[in-house]
Amino acid sequence: MERFLSPFLIGLIFGAGIAVSGMINPAKVLNFFDVAGTWDPSLAFVMGGALIVTFIGYRLALKQPGPIFGGGFQLPTRKEIDRPLVIGSAIFGIGWGVAGFCPGASIPALGLFQPDACVFVASMIAGILIARAIRRSLDARRALQA
């Protein structure tokens, strides 16, 4: 039970922070990107605060021998910047700029029954499934050519 309680509480705190900061409002996010119009710098402060908390949190957590609730830390091992990373980042940025939602903000928005969030999350899930199918198809094609 403890394995699920900790992630649930962390997600709850994250969702509450996103909701309190107003970042579940797509208009607030879109105004951040509208530098020549109704620019709203509050997203920069939210992201800056998140970076500070993450920086300190990683430093403290990685000094520990392991996570409190078992296993080991699972950190990325790849450091190269490749085509899928660049393309995925571009798609993420374009989607965020068009919709005003990112995955982190869309989930708490679901809890507030925002219809736009429902459409966004459904589209995001569909995109994930399509990307996985394309990846499997490409991997199978490469395996046949080898």
Side-chain angles (χ1 to χ4, degrees), residues 59-119:
R59 297 301 174 276
L60 293 174
L62 294 178
K63 287 183 180 178
Q64 305 305 315
I68 293 172
F69 295 115
F73 292 114
Q74 297 178 4
L75 300 172
T77 56
R78 294 180 57 186
K79 297 187 189 281
E80 67 272 3
I81 298 174
D82 58 3
R83 182 183 294 176
L85 176 64
V86 172
I87 292 171
S89 299
I91 291 170
F92 175 89
I94 291 167
W96 192 25
V98 169
F101 278 118
C102 75
S106 65
I107 304 300
L110 280 178
L112 296 176
F113 307 108
Q114 288 188 1
D116 291 346
C118 295
V119 172

Side-chain angles (χ1 to χ4, degrees), residues 27-41:
K28 192 160 189 67
V29 173
L30 294 173
N31 284 339
F32 173 75
F33 293 119
D34 189 7
V35 181
T38 58
W39 187 60
D40 179 0

